[in-house]
Amino acid sequence: MSDDERTPLPLVFDEPVGRRKPPRHLAGCTPDERVEWVKELGLPGFRAKQLATHYFARLTDDPAEMTDLPAGQRDELVGALLPTLMTPLRTMEADRGTTRKTLWKLFDGALVESVLMRYPDRATVCVSSQAGCGMACPFCATGQGGLQRNMSTGEIVEQVVAAARSLARGEVPGGPGRVSNVVFMGMGEPMANYRAVIGAVRRLTDPQPDGLGMSARGVTVSTVGLVPRMLQLAEEGIPVTLALSLHAPDDELRNELVPINTRFSVAETVDAAWNYARVTKRRVSIEYAMMRGINDQAWRADLLADVLLARGDWGWVHVNLIPLNPTPGSKWTASEPADEREFVRRLEAKGIPTTVRDTRGREIDGACGQLAATEA
Ligand code: SF4
């Protein structure tokens, strides 16, 4: 069946939904678009690069610090190209301040979250790509509220730049530092906002001062399995890590846990993940949230290994098990430790590299979107 012949997918949008679009911002433009924009303002094109240097390399948006710009033009340039995209409403800390979740209010009142997690050897920012989410996974708090709108490239990038500023200014314990990793695992389904997400990935990985200069290997894009977009991502020529939130190896259960599965089956989804690994030579991460009595049976571990091994030897994939927060009385709660250990043992016995995600920021519900799960 061709993609067009399928039922239209009302959950997938490529443009911001809602009547008003977020303000245009330097972070949402390519370097060429910035030059054109500055020229439209009647200013010399090289001002665009100067402003990008302040934003991406010096991590400042304060006109007073931009002493290489003529004093009379600073406010106009900053006001036009670096408008305020988001305002922090609340910041919560855990792990002695090394995990910080920020609740942001966007220009239209939409709320999103990002989380900065600092480790001894790296600093990871988990970003949102949509306000809300239309994928309706029943175990996920974000999914229960539906989709409000897609975020713009600028809004996605700004979450990372804000975290980079905090680190550079030494606001996070451990001394001044840099963002080394970005994971698109916050609110939203990144592949349902494909164009803005790819724009953000390019801004993150463009060399400074055109972008943040991060390694694509430090960027992970997650998906619940929008197969056409997974195939498209493989052709982008950006070797990001793909994380597929599978959560069940069989259609019967996955149709319930991840409703998009009724459109793209486990077989089609895993094929697309395997294709990504084949084309990009990047190992795919299979995310599997362990839910007590729902998807954590030993036989499902065996089936998961078989489904993955059917595409090729284990070298193309690894499994990342995600412990849910224990939620007494909830249908969606954490697996028993013994069941989790047995699940790991079975996968490893079949040769599948398996990790259990650390539970950073658990007390602040730090793992947003994909995992907001737990507090539903
Ligand atoms: S788990 Fe992810 S894809 Fe599913 S509803 Fe939540 S945020 Fe959306």
Side-chain angles (χ1 to χ4, degrees), residues 130 132-144 185-190 223-224 245 247 257-259 368-373:
Q130 299 181 305
C133 182
M135 293 293 134
C137 305
F139 60 89
C140 167
T142 303
Q144 305 318 298
M185 293 187 177
M187 282 185 178
E189 161 54 45
T223 181
V224 281
S245 298
H247 304 321
L257 295 182
V258 187
C368 40
Q370 302 277 328
L371 299 181

Side-chain angles (χ1 to χ4, degrees), residues 5 20 22 48 53 61 80-81 88 100 140 148 173 176 180-181 225 248-249 350 356 361 365 368 373:
E5 289 168 322
R20 293 183 299 151
T53 304
D61 55 2
L81 276 81
R100 293 161 58 115
C140 167
Q148 283 177 269
S180 54
N181 298 75
K350 294 211 177 207
V356 179
D365 187 21
C368 40

Side-chain angles (χ1 to χ4, degrees), residues 14 82 226 236 302 334:
D14 261 337
L82 302 177
L226 300 196
E236 293 285 350
D302 291 340

Side-chain angles (χ1 to χ4, degrees), residues 26 29-36 45 48-49 203 206 209-211:
L26 174 143
C29 301
T30 65
D32 287 348
E33 288 167 348
R34 290 171 206 158
V35 171
E36 283 308 306
K49 193 148 218 156
R203 294 297 84 73
D206 280 347
D210 289 338

Side-chain angles (χ1 to χ4, degrees), residues 196-352:
V197 165
I198 292 300
V201 170
R202 294 202 188 280
R203 294 297 84 73
L204 299 179
T205 56
D206 280 347
Q208 289 186 355
D210 289 338
L212 273 177
M214 294 182 58
S215 162
R217 290 169 181 270
V219 178
T220 298
V221 177
S222 71
T223 181
V224 281
L226 300 196
V227 166
R229 296 309 196 200
M230 294 167 73
L231 299 175
Q232 196 173 346
L233 184 66
E235 305 300 327
E236 293 285 350
I238 330 172
V240 294
T241 299
L242 177 67
L244 169 62
S245 298
L246 198 62
H247 304 321
D250 52 304
D251 285 321
E252 191 181 353
L253 179 59
R254 195 164 191 268
N255 284 346
E256 186 193 335
L257 295 182
V258 187
I260 194 74
N261 197 75
T262 56
R263 186 165 151 83
F264 304 110
S265 67
V266 168
E268 287 175 287
T269 307
V270 174
D271 276 345
W274 178 79
N275 175 71
Y276 188 83
R278 188 181 57 79
V279 171
T280 64
K281 310 278 184 272
R282 301 281 297 141
R283 188 183 276 191
V284 169
S285 180
I286 300 291
E287 308 291 307
Y288 197 103
M290 295 287 286
M291 305 175 201
R292 183 192 299 179
I294 298 201
N295 66 351
D296 62 354
Q297 304 85 351
W299 69 265
R300 278 205 163 91
D302 291 340
L303 181 59
L304 174 60
D306 292 345
V307 163
L308 300 177
L309 291 170
R311 269 75 193 178
D313 72 11
W314 55 266
W316 72 274
V317 71
H318 89 273
V319 170
N320 190 27
L321 300 177
I322 307 165
L324 285 190
N325 284 353
T327 313
S330 166
K331 180 179 173 190
W332 317 104
T333 193
S335 295
E336 298 289 352
D339 292 338
E340 187 179 291
R341 281 196 299 274
E342 179 63 8
F343 208 91
V344 173
R345 194 191 67 73
R346 296 230 174 189
L347 288 171
E348 288 182 338
K350 294 211 177 207
I352 306 281

